Amino acid sequence: MVRTGALLIRTGWRGRAVYEGSNTPAPSTPDQGKPDPTSPSLGDVPHAALDDTSDTIVSEASEQAVPTTLLVVRTDAVLPKRRSRRAGGDDAATPDARLLTVLGRVAPADLPPVSALGVETALEAMADASKLAIAADLDCWLDWCAGERRRACPADPEDLVRYLRALEADGKKPATLARRIASLATVHRLLGLDDALPTSAPMVRNALRGNRRRQGAAQRQAAPLRFGGGLGEAGGFTLSALLSACTGDVQGLRDAALLSLGYDAGLRVSELIAVSVTDLGPQPDGTGLLHLPRSKTDQEGIGAWAWLSADTMRRVAAWRAEGAIADGVLFRRVGVDRRRQRSKELADARWGDEDTEAAALLVTYTVGDAPLSRQGVTGIYRRIALAAFNAGLVELPAGDLEAAIAALSTHSLRVGLTQDLFAAGEDGAGIALTLRWSSPSTALRYGRRLQAQSGVAARVLSRVRT
């Protein structure tokens, strides 16, 4: 029996059919308008004939040419908007509006008039992430005050000490406690209540010092994603293993480009999700330069440049070609819809049988316009890490898998590159300058053990003590 396969083509769609008996898919079709039946891009579709009454290409072929998988890339659809996980939050609210809303809740009824211009200039001087952090910290303080029936503002130093003890009992780290107090100090200044800051009271400062003595000031660090392979041995998950686990479909190409670019440039997640096509500068030797207009340590927008390997540039080019990304933000959400049952029903209606195996698997990829979120990047890292483990690319005890995946974060690539550079013998000052750390001491925090192996004592004493 001769069956007919169908490849759907519409404006804003790109389709690709994989045929039985062939290792190569039919080439992608143009993004816009009806395709030309004589176009070379349709050369692998046998006896292609265009039906002028629809946007469908019908190809008559033998049993061996039945499409088993139909891949469709949609660039004109809108992905569903993710709902905010913040209680009562509004995704459309700006950081300024979010902070001002919480300030309105904390301001006392008898507060003297506050300079609107003073608040406006204070907000202009803050980074958006700082505004959101202050708002979140203030929410926590308001919740505690409501539960304890305490006045929120102006705060009483004794209440602040009780609040710090409650946070410590809840398992919060010293860095979190210090940030909460700093946020409350900022709020008091914004409201003009800075004549005698309660956060500067001796009992509050002593409470913070006592907490650091009890718990220690060392912070839990993100698990590194080191390169592995040519840059030395690295246990657990590595960038090389995760890249090998990335699939060759639209989603996999995006994930591989995301991992590769994030590692090469040592990007913070805020920098990674903000990369746009215009920031990429291909070089004649195949490498590239990435322009960073602004970063956490460059709030005034002086700008910086980061080097990208030829491998990264190839991966980025593959993702852009498959996702039809000509401009705008580079890393976007990709919706994946796999439907076998619907494809089977269409096949049965067309071919008149109940052959489940012959029904094509319809896979639709929807490439959105909005950038990835911070949480989305973390989810991508962890999903690929699990795939790498399942594929046998990572040697890790099964009992440690859950903890190892949970330790990965958006900071893992940056920490991994920092440790690789320390392992290669680079000094802290050079690493801090290259990766835009705020200071060499910050970079050293992530490479203390590796820096000791390549430090002054190791270099000198290794010549005389064997």
Side-chain angles (χ1 to χ4, degrees):
M1 177 176 62
V2 177
R3 294 178 177 173
T4 304
L7 177 61
L8 181 63
I9 301 174
R10 293 179 182 169
T11 301
W13 290 53
R14 294 193 299 111
R16 183 177 62 193
V18 180
Y19 288 86
E20 291 181 349
S22 173
N23 294 326
T24 58
S28 299
T29 58
D31 287 345
Q32 302 293 332
K34 292 184 179 181
D36 182 358
T38 62
S39 171
S41 65
L42 301 177
D44 289 349
V45 181
H47 308 291
L50 180 64
D51 180 1
D52 290 333
T53 62
S54 67
D55 291 331
T56 303
I57 291 180
V58 179
S59 60
E60 298 179 356
S62 64
E63 179 77 15
Q64 286 73 26
V66 176
T68 58
T69 304
L70 181 62
L71 305 179
V72 178
V73 180
R74 300 189 62 181
T75 58
D76 62 340
V78 178
L79 287 169
K81 189 175 182 180
R82 296 191 183 278
R83 298 181 60 184
S84 173
R85 295 188 298 177
R86 183 173 60 242
D90 181 4
D91 285 337
T94 64
D96 284 6
R98 166 94 169 99
L99 180 54
L100 289 173
T101 299
V102 185
L103 284 176
R105 292 174 52 202
V106 76
D110 57 349
L111 180 70
V114 178
S115 170
L117 186 59
V119 174
E120 181 181 341
T121 55
L123 295 180
E124 289 175 351
M126 291 185 194
D128 287 346
S130 299
K131 299 170 189 174
L132 294 175
I134 293 173
D137 292 342
L138 193 51
D139 276 336
C140 179
W141 167 247
L142 287 171
D143 290 343
W144 183 86
C145 289
E148 298 293 326
R149 296 185 178 181
R150 302 288 181 177
R151 183 184 62 186
C153 188
D156 185 277
E158 291 190 359
D159 288 341
L160 290 176
V161 173
R162 297 187 185 98
Y163 174 59
L164 290 174
R165 290 180 175 177
L167 293 177
E168 182 179 352
D170 195 37
K172 297 296 187 291
K173 300 298 182 182
T176 301
L177 271 62
R179 196 191 82 174
R180 297 279 168 85
I181 293 299
S183 294
L184 290 176
T186 301
V187 168
H188 280 74
R189 294 190 186 96
L190 285 172
L191 297 178
L193 302 173
D194 53 351
D195 291 338
L197 283 175
T199 55
S200 298
M203 68 172 66
V204 177
R205 314 317 297 179
N206 289 335
L208 289 173
R209 282 193 288 268
N211 174 261
R212 287 194 295 269
R213 285 177 60 87
R214 286 189 295 273
Q215 296 196 47
Q219 295 180 249
R220 182 178 63 87
Q221 297 179 355
L225 269 176
R226 297 181 60 185
F227 184 80
L231 287 182
E233 296 297 327
F237 293 111
T238 64
L239 175 68
S240 299
L242 266 63
L243 287 176
S244 298
C246 291
T247 57
D249 58 10
V250 181
Q251 189 181 57
L253 292 175
R254 182 215 48 198
D255 296 345
L258 181 78
L259 287 166
S260 190
L261 187 144
Y263 175 84
D264 277 0
L267 299 182
R268 300 176 178 89
V269 64
S270 58
E271 300 164 350
L272 183 59
I273 61 179
V275 172
S276 67
V277 174
T278 56
D279 294 330
L280 299 170
Q283 301 300 299
D285 61 352
T287 62
L289 290 177
L290 175 66
H291 181 232
L292 301 172
R294 192 180 297 271
S295 67
K296 178 181 177 181
T297 54
D298 179 22
Q299 292 296 316
E300 297 180 359
I302 297 175
W305 294 89
W307 178 85
L308 300 177
S309 65
D311 179 62
T312 292
M313 295 300 290
R314 287 191 294 269
R315 294 181 186 277
V316 169
W319 154 238
R320 288 185 58 193
E322 197 69 10
I325 299 174
D327 52 24
V329 69
L330 181 60
F331 297 116
R332 313 174 181 191
R333 288 177 58 196
V334 176
V336 184
D337 185 6
R338 295 180 173 88
R339 300 188 183 185
R340 181 179 294 277
Q341 182 61 35
R342 177 56 179 162
S343 182
K344 175 184 178 300
E345 294 172 358
L346 293 174
D348 292 344
R350 185 179 185 89
W351 297 328
D353 60 23
E354 297 292 336
D355 188 357
T356 303
E357 296 300 327
L361 171 62
L362 176 63
V363 182
T364 302
Y365 298 94
T366 303
V367 181
D369 294 327
L372 290 169
S373 65
R374 297 166 183 258
Q375 296 81 5
V377 173
T378 302
I380 290 172
Y381 292 173
R382 293 176 178 176
R383 170 173 53 78
I384 302 174
L386 180 59
F389 176 82
N390 291 335
L393 300 172
V394 178
E395 294 184 3
L396 194 69
D400 298 340
L401 176 62
E402 184 175 351
I405 291 180
L408 296 176
S409 76
T410 56
H411 219 45
S412 293
L413 289 175
R414 183 171 170 83
V415 174
L417 178 58
T418 299
Q419 294 191 359
D420 280 338
L421 294 178
F422 272 120
E426 299 297 328
D427 64 278
I431 295 173
L433 179 63
T434 301
L435 300 187
R436 306 164 305 284
W437 289 106
S438 57
S439 66
S441 61
T442 305
L444 286 170
R445 185 188 308 161
Y446 294 99
R448 287 193 183 100
R449 181 181 300 179
L450 294 170
Q451 200 275 336
Q453 296 174 352
S454 59
V456 174
R459 290 197 302 271
V460 174
L461 297 181
S462 62
R463 303 172 193 159
V464 296
R465 298 183 65 91
T466 58

